[in-house]
Amino acid sequence: MSLFSRATLRILPLLFCLWAAAAACAEGDNAGAVHGTVVDPTGAVVPGATVLLTNRVNGLERTATTDANGQFTIPNVPFHPYRIDVSAPGFAPLTQSILFNAAAETELKLELQVAGGSQTV
């Protein structure tokens, strides 16, 4: 076996490990998931609420709808400041700002207020 072949065989596993580590870092270190629950003032869950995550700087918009347990997930969210808008029939819209900057999952509890009605006498 030539000297070039032996050196290549020794370096290839190292190069593969470095490539795999770089790929994992590039993919996982700058984004994460936003999870949350939408509730009413009594703490009861609100199914079917629309959750809109927006970043005005880069134009990113992601939408999710709460499930039967009032929960939503927005995956693969890059780290940036965001505005969250939540709406559901019978409730006043909610707007909240968050700074999303952790690879760990972000868990939010978003409380909607009952929409005020108008009375005519």
Side-chain angles (χ1 to χ4, degrees), residues 3 12-13 20 30 34 51-52 55 61 67 77 84-85 88 98 101:
L3 179 63
L12 280 177
N30 60 357
V34 176
V51 180
L52 174 64
N55 178 291
E61 265 191 22
D67 62 15
V77 178
I84 295 180
D85 293 292
I98 65 165
N101 61 1

Side-chain angles (χ1 to χ4, degrees), residues 51-88:
V51 180
L52 174 64
L53 185 73
T54 308
N55 178 291
R56 292 184 182 174
V57 175
N58 65 14
L60 178 87
E61 265 191 22
R62 302 271 171 83
T63 303
T65 302
T66 58
D67 62 15
N69 298 317
Q71 297 179 343
F72 68 92
T73 299
I74 302 174
N76 197 26
V77 178
F79 300 156
H80 287 290
Y82 290 94
R83 182 175 120 175
I84 295 180
D85 293 292
V86 184
S87 60

Side-chain angles (χ1 to χ4, degrees), residues 16-30:
F16 178 77
C17 289
L18 289 174
W19 172 78
C25 286
E27 192 172 299
D29 281 348
N30 60 357

Side-chain angles (χ1 to χ4, degrees), residues 116-121:
S118 61
Q119 275 188 332
T120 305
V121 179

